[in-house]
Amino acid sequence: EPEVTQTPSHQVTQMGQEVILRCVPISNHLYFYWYRQILGQKVEFLVSFYNNEISEKSEIFDDQFSVERPDGSNFTLKIRSTKLEDSAMYFCASSEGYTGGSDEQYFGPGTRLTVT
Amino acid sequence: LAKTTQPISMDSYEGQEVNITCSHNNIATNDYITWYQQFPSQGPRFIIQGYKTKVTNEVASLFIPADRKSSTLSLPRVSLSDTAVYYCLRNAGNNRKLIWGLGTSLAVNP
């Protein structure tokens, strides 16, 4: 069964450093997403991406964040200058782009980001 | 704010049927109900989705009454491996921004 993959599984970085989290969505999917989950808290939507541009973003997704689809398979989330409060699990997801009902999103295993 | 309300936690025993009810009083005409499962330190996993009446797949059943103000996820004969957090979400077909609540933490005991 096709699955979303993410690398690395765990990233430790110092405050102020840039990090890039990588994802490989399911190959025939058209929509890509990033969510985050701070330990013990809710899953939070960050951004959705379609046709090589952001389709929607949350208030969390400020100028520190950016997303990119650098090639035909990867989808990345960059945090320019990490803060302690960016420590969380970051989940990538993808979906087919089905418009007849609710479009099922498939989630990756996550990257645990620890900012020290 | 999450658009659904569900119990914070539930306890069950192996082999029992578990029913988790979700309240969504202000559901919109275009909204679907979707349930996800999440194990610790893993990404959420889609379980089932429905619009009204009953939907069944190999994992669960979803019951949505005619007024669609609530829904019930039914897990038949749970096992220890069903211990997880279960999320009820509602969103319109063209709205891909999933809004999550805290979910229901289900503990299955031997």
Side-chain angles (χ1 to χ4, degrees):
Chain A
E1 184 179 322
E3 58 184 19
V4 176
T5 60
Q6 291 185 241
T7 54
S9 57
H10 190 189
Q11 174 88 48
V12 181
T13 190
Q14 289 190 324
M15 194 168 51
Q17 296 296 305
E18 174 184 286
V19 294
I20 298 176
L21 309 183
R22 291 183 166 79
C23 168
V24 179
I26 294 173
S27 62
N28 64 334
H29 284 186
L30 302 178
Y31 278 84
F32 315 120
Y33 314 83
W34 284 101
Y35 292 82
R36 79 173 186 189
Q37 186 175 30
I38 296 170
L39 186 64
Q41 297 187 24
K42 301 175 185 178
V43 177
E44 299 174 292
F45 170 83
L46 293 178
V47 66
S48 59
F49 190 87
Y50 172 73
N51 200 26
N52 283 318
E53 61 183 27
I54 291 173
S55 57
E56 189 170 4
K57 61 182 180 179
S58 71
E59 59 277 7
I60 302 169
F61 194 89
D62 60 21
D63 292 343
Q64 297 276 68
F65 293 89
S66 63
V67 289
E68 190 180 26
R69 183 133 163 99
D71 53 44
S73 59
N74 290 285
F75 180 52
T76 62
L77 173 69
K78 180 192 290 186
I79 309 175
R80 262 178 272 281
S81 178
T82 51
K83 302 182 285 255
L84 293 176
E85 54 265 37
D86 293 327
S87 295
M89 281 287 279
Y90 287 81
F91 295 109
C92 174
S94 69
S95 66
E96 290 182 8
Y98 178 59
T99 57
S102 186
D103 191 24
E104 178 184 341
Q105 295 182 23
Y106 293 78
F107 285 76
T111 292
R112 178 170 299 283
L113 176 65
T114 302
V115 182
T116 62
Chain B
L1 287 177
K3 297 184 282 188
T4 61
T5 303
Q6 52 185 123
I8 294 293
S9 63
M10 292 182 70
D11 276 283
S12 184
Y13 293 92
E14 283 189 287
Q16 288 189 334
E17 177 184 79
V18 171
N19 297 307
I20 306 175
T21 298
C22 177
S23 172
H24 27 82
N25 288 320
N26 298 317
I27 192 166
T29 303
N30 295 335
D31 285 349
Y32 284 73
I33 298 299
T34 309
W35 285 80
Y36 280 83
Q37 175 192 55
Q38 186 181 28
F39 298 112
S41 299
Q42 293 188 29
R45 185 175 76 100
F46 173 89
I47 301 175
I48 198 166
Q49 180 186 105
Y51 184 79
K52 60 182 177 181
T53 64
K54 178 181 176 181
V55 179
T56 297
N57 62 22
E58 64 277 6
V59 177
S61 294
L62 177 60
F63 303 90
I64 305 173
D67 66 6
R68 302 201 328 120
K69 293 185 177 182
S70 66
S71 59
T72 300
L73 174 72
S74 181
L75 304 172
R77 297 180 298 281
V78 294
S79 63
L80 297 177
S81 62
D82 292 317
T83 294
V85 179
Y86 293 82
Y87 298 95
C88 167
L89 296 92
R90 68 171 178 94
N91 62 295
N94 60 354
N95 179 4
R96 295 180 170 82
K97 175 182 175 182
L98 295 181
I99 305 298
W100 302 75
L102 288 172
T104 297
S105 180
L106 172 65
V108 180
N109 302 292

